[in-house]
């Protein structure tokens, strides 16, 4: 850690310290304004069609739980572990081991899987009200595949299992 920071000192000489700047502007927001700003940001994010509709799984504990308790789907492109979630959004975690290849190939495998999931996720949301946690484990073939090929495999397997029509349940008998 550097203790002497010449650029910071130079900025303070030219523009004054941060406290002086705050005292000069002296603009304060009420709690209502802050809540309104947060609501506005959320509204803008919801209007943006490119906003993330899913959240990444990052904790090791959650990965281990899904590996242990999740349903598995095996294809030549990936292995998927999934489990129903109580959250409002689908969550995704991607694992690429050393067997996939060097760092470039592992990164490509992650990008391909992420793109395929981005395309299939709206279909999942549309066809079922349930939300899931997914973990995709890349396989050796994944970096060599196009995202459309992985998408077709995801569509075939994931939609068949998790977005099955609800007509399979017996109807209630009305008296």
């Amino acid at each position: 850690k550097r203790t002497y920071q010449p650029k910071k000192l130079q900025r303070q000489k030219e523009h004054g310290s941060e406290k002086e700047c705050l005292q000069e502007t002296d603009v304060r927001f009420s709690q209502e304004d802050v809540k309104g700003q947060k609501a506005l940001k959320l509204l803008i994010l919801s209007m943006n069609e490119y906003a993330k509709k899913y959240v990444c799984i990052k904790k090791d504990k959650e990965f281990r739980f899904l590996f242990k308790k999740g349903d598995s789907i095996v294809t030549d492109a990936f292995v998927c572990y999934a489990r129903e979630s109580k959250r409002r959004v689908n969550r995704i975690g991607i694992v690429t081991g050393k067997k996939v290849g060097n760092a470039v190939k592992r990164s490509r495998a992650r990008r391909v899987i992420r793109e395929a999931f981005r395309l299939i996720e709206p279909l999942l949301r549309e066809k079922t009200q349930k939300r899931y946690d997914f973990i995709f484990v890349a396989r050796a073939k994944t970096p060599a595949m196009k995202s459309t090929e992985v998408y077709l495999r995801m569509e075939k397997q994931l939609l068949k299992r998790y977005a099955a029509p609800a007509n399979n349940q017996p109807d209630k008998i009305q008296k």
Side-chain angles (χ1 to χ4, degrees):
K1 184 176 176 181
R2 283 184 10 189
T3 54
Y4 176 67
Q5 298 170 337
K7 293 209 178 214
K8 185 176 180 182
L9 293 173
Q10 185 181 358
R11 265 196 309 275
Q12 284 179 352
K13 284 180 185 174
E14 291 174 6
H15 304 291
S17 67
E18 292 177 20
K19 290 179 184 176
E20 290 174 11
C21 291
L22 289 175
Q23 287 173 355
E24 287 173 11
T25 56
D26 201 27
V27 177
R28 296 191 180 142
F29 295 104
S30 67
Q31 289 291 69
E32 293 171 5
D33 291 339
V34 172
K35 287 179 185 175
Q37 286 176 350
K38 287 181 181 178
L40 182 64
K41 285 181 182 178
L42 289 173
L43 178 66
I44 290 170
L45 283 175
S46 65
M47 290 170 51
N48 185 359
E49 65 185 63
Y50 296 106
K52 277 190 174 182
K53 303 288 192 290
Y54 58 89
V55 180
C56 294
I57 299 173
K58 294 180 181 175
K59 294 187 178 178
D60 183 54
K61 179 181 173 183
E62 294 171 342
F63 274 93
R64 282 188 279 127
F65 176 76
L66 279 171
F67 283 133
K68 199 174 197 178
K69 301 282 186 179
D71 301 330
S72 62
I73 298 172
V74 180
T75 67
D76 59 337
F78 58 85
V79 178
C80 175
Y81 295 91
R83 188 171 170 97
E84 192 173 332
S85 172
K86 294 178 184 175
R87 291 179 169 81
R88 294 182 184 176
V89 292
N90 291 320
R91 296 194 311 162
I92 181 176
I94 302 173
V95 178
T96 51
K98 272 191 165 180
K99 290 182 182 178
V100 174
N102 62 11
V104 175
K105 289 182 181 177
R106 291 195 302 266
S107 294
R108 172 158 171 77
R110 281 192 293 269
R111 280 197 315 269
V112 165
I113 289 173
R114 196 176 300 119
E115 175 63 15
F117 184 77
R118 186 187 70 83
L119 294 174
I120 204 154
E121 206 265 340
L123 296 173
L124 277 171
R125 275 188 290 123
E126 180 183 302
K127 293 190 177 186
T128 182
Q129 294 297 318
K130 297 177 182 177
R131 299 295 174 249
Y132 296 93
D133 291 342
F134 294 99
I135 289 185
F136 292 98
V137 180
R139 300 187 100 178
K141 286 185 179 180
T142 311
M145 300 175 91
K146 299 226 178 218
S147 62
T148 52
E149 296 171 17
V150 177
Y151 168 78
L152 292 173
R153 285 168 175 77
M154 274 189 196
E155 184 179 39
K156 184 178 176 184
Q157 298 292 328
L158 293 182
L159 291 181
K160 182 172 74 172
R161 178 155 317 169
Y162 298 111
N167 298 339
N168 297 343
Q169 299 173 352
D171 296 331
K172 293 182 181 177
I173 301 172
Q174 296 178 350
K175 293 182 181 178

